[in-house]
Amino acid sequence: MANKIITLDEFIIKRQNDFSYATGELTALLRDIGVAAKIVNREVNRAGLVNILGIHGSENASGEDVQKLDMYANDKLIECLSNSGECCGVASEENEDYVEIPPIASENGKYVVLFDPLDGSSNIDVNVSVGTIFSIYRRVSDESGPCELEDFLQKGVEQVAAGYVIYGTSTILVYTTGNGVNGFTLDPSIGEFCLSHRNIQIPKTGQYYSINQGYYSKFDLEMRRYVDNCSDMNLRLRYIGTMVADIHRILFQGGIFLYPSTRKYPDGKLRLLYECNPMSFIMEQAGGKSIDTQLQRIMEIKPTELHQRASIVIGSPQMVDEMKAFVQKYSASNVLG
Ligand code: P6P
């Protein structure tokens, strides 16, 4: 018998039934995100047509404003998350401050959602994979009122769900609610995300390292020596410039992704709340590890501001441990002179 198709909606609902504590609220939120991903996917796939269809300037064929795709994705996510009533606020890499979501039927939502609506958007124009990253927390502020800043500044270990969508040769949604990681491939012929990668587990080690080698001279000494070591170990360098795509490969083939501190970004470039924490939750749930270049676990960092940056070293557990040991040994020998 042909394998039964399991859609994202079916899977989410089944998983909800598997866990007595699960509530319909998180299910509704995940389904809203799935809808937003389908809408964004449609526009990402048409992006190249904007010029061909003669959509010029600020108006498209139907007289609507043609937005930059990342702002379009941002607005669609906020719109879809405002439908279910489960979300009381969102924070986005694209918005300076968080956005309160008004209650539906006077009941404030119990969750906040943080996202990077279109990660790697500069790659759109050259038809390279881009992604959406999301992270869900239970609010901690008084539920009788609107969301507050403290709801968004929680440690990554407090996430109740996290996921990403990669818009590539196919569109795949990967997410976790803390009970493993599963992947769903969009079947455009039926407009459904279908279970395609059950219980993803990252290989313990791998042959790939992913870093922007162009910044080599701007890395600190330990990181330069570690990169030299990767080359000496005949590891293969793969770097797309979209965090979601670089980490998606590593999740399936094994490897290590690094965005260390540089002179330009002394705290690292990637955003702790919208990129590092959600990708770290997924990676740890798939058996991987994720630390910063001070060698502390990313998900233990206490955020102090919405757009806080972090350095990150994430991937196969053995490779992250080896990088940590290499840097510790190198720093110690440096101190000893
Ligand atoms: P660089 C994309 O702009 C992004 O935020 C991540 O998706 C990606 O990993 C990183 O920046 C690439 O940065 O400095 O190597 O171009």
Side-chain angles (χ1 to χ4, degrees), residues 119-120 122 212 215 239 241-244 257 259 269-270 275:
D119 175 57
S122 57
N212 187 332
Y215 298 149
Y239 194 73
T242 297
M243 183 191 201
V244 167
F257 172 89
Y259 203 114
K269 173 187 180 185
L270 301 177
E275 295 167 308

Side-chain angles (χ1 to χ4, degrees), residues 17-43:
N17 300 336
D18 287 353
F19 303 100
S20 54
Y21 64 85
T23 63
E25 297 142 347
L26 187 55
T27 299
L29 266 183
L30 288 169
R31 295 173 70 179
D32 289 344
I33 291 171
V35 170
K38 290 181 202 172
I39 296 170
V40 172
N41 174 68
R42 180 189 63 203
E43 292 309 308

Side-chain angles (χ1 to χ4, degrees), residues 315-328:
S316 294
Q318 283 178 19
M319 296 182 82
V320 174
D321 287 346
E322 285 157 6
M323 178 271 175
K324 188 172 178 178
F326 182 93
V327 167
Q328 284 169 331

Side-chain angles (χ1 to χ4, degrees), residues 181-249:
V181 181
N182 293 282
F184 300 79
T185 299
L186 183 64
D187 179 340
S189 67
I190 57 173
E192 291 285 2
F193 280 105
C194 303
L195 182 63
S196 51
H197 302 83
R198 188 188 287 270
N199 190 26
I200 300 167
Q201 287 291 305
I202 186 172
K204 297 279 182 252
T205 189
Q207 292 304 306
Y208 293 109
Y209 73 108
S210 185
I211 190 168
N212 187 332
Q213 194 95 8
Y215 298 149
Y216 180 86
S217 62
K218 300 171 180 67
F219 294 151
D220 63 29
L221 204 47
E222 289 89 344
M223 189 51 67
R224 274 183 258 161
R225 292 298 164 264
Y226 173 73
V227 169
D228 296 339
N229 179 60
C230 289
S231 182
D232 298 343
M233 303 275 285
N234 299 316
L235 296 184
R236 282 171 278 175
L237 175 61
R238 292 287 187 278
Y239 194 73
I240 296 171
T242 297
M243 183 191 201
V244 167
D246 282 317
I247 292 180
H248 184 75
R249 173 201 295 108

Side-chain angles (χ1 to χ4, degrees), residues 50-287:
V50 167
N51 297 324
I52 297 170
L53 292 181
I55 300 171
H56 294 294
S58 64
E59 292 224 333
N60 66 18
S62 46
E64 295 152 355
D65 283 348
V66 175
Q67 291 176 293
K68 272 169 59 72
L69 218 43
D70 44 11
M71 289 317 294
Y72 176 85
N74 195 57
D75 294 350
K76 283 303 163 196
L77 270 159
I78 294 174
E79 196 180 302
C80 290
L81 287 166
S82 304
N83 289 342
S84 67
E86 308 306 349
C87 175
C88 64
V90 297
S92 163
E93 184 171 322
E94 298 296 336
N95 294 74
E96 191 51 43
D97 205 348
Y98 64 83
V99 176
E100 286 177 22
I101 304 288
I104 294 175
S106 76
E107 175 122 355
N108 282 308
K110 297 188 177 65
Y111 297 88
V112 292
V113 182
L114 297 83
F115 51 78
D116 180 357
L118 209 60
D119 175 57
S121 49
S122 57
N123 277 327
I124 282 256
D125 301 341
V126 291
N127 203 27
V128 168
S129 300
V130 293
T132 295
I133 311 173
F134 65 89
S135 176
I136 303 177
Y137 294 83
R138 191 91 173 53
R139 70 178 300 182
V140 291
S141 59
D142 177 353
E143 294 189 4
S144 63
C147 63
E148 297 178 19
L149 182 59
E150 62 176 327
D151 294 318
F152 301 94
L153 298 184
Q154 300 183 58
K155 286 184 179 181
V157 289
E158 301 301 332
Q159 291 174 98
V160 294
Y164 65 81
V165 183
I166 178 168
Y167 310 99
T169 43
S170 57
T171 295
I172 301 177
L173 185 149
V174 173
Y175 85 94
T176 183
T177 55
N179 299 287
V181 181
N182 293 282
F184 300 79
T185 299
L186 183 64
D187 179 340
S189 67
I190 57 173
E192 291 285 2
F193 280 105
C194 303
L195 182 63
S196 51
H197 302 83
R198 188 188 287 270
N199 190 26
I200 300 167
Q201 287 291 305
I202 186 172
K204 297 279 182 252
T205 189
Q207 292 304 306
Y208 293 109
Y209 73 108
S210 185
I211 190 168
N212 187 332
Q213 194 95 8
Y215 298 149
Y216 180 86
S217 62
K218 300 171 180 67
F219 294 151
D220 63 29
L221 204 47
E222 289 89 344
M223 189 51 67
R224 274 183 258 161
R225 292 298 164 264
Y226 173 73
V227 169
D228 296 339
N229 179 60
C230 289
S231 182
D232 298 343
M233 303 275 285
N234 299 316
L235 296 184
R236 282 171 278 175
L237 175 61
R238 292 287 187 278
Y239 194 73
I240 296 171
T242 297
M243 183 191 201
V244 167
D246 282 317
I247 292 180
H248 184 75
R249 173 201 295 108
I250 283 169
L251 198 55
F252 288 93
Q253 298 183 343
I256 189 167
F257 172 89
L258 308 96
Y259 203 114
S261 318
T262 62
R263 278 204 289 275
K264 182 179 178 186
Y265 295 112
D267 298 326
K269 173 187 180 185
L270 301 177
R271 306 303 169 96
L272 176 60
L273 299 184
Y274 313 110
E275 295 167 308
C276 297
N277 270 335
M279 297 309 282
S280 299
F281 189 20
I282 293 164
M283 186 56 74
E284 290 198 3
Q285 281 290 310

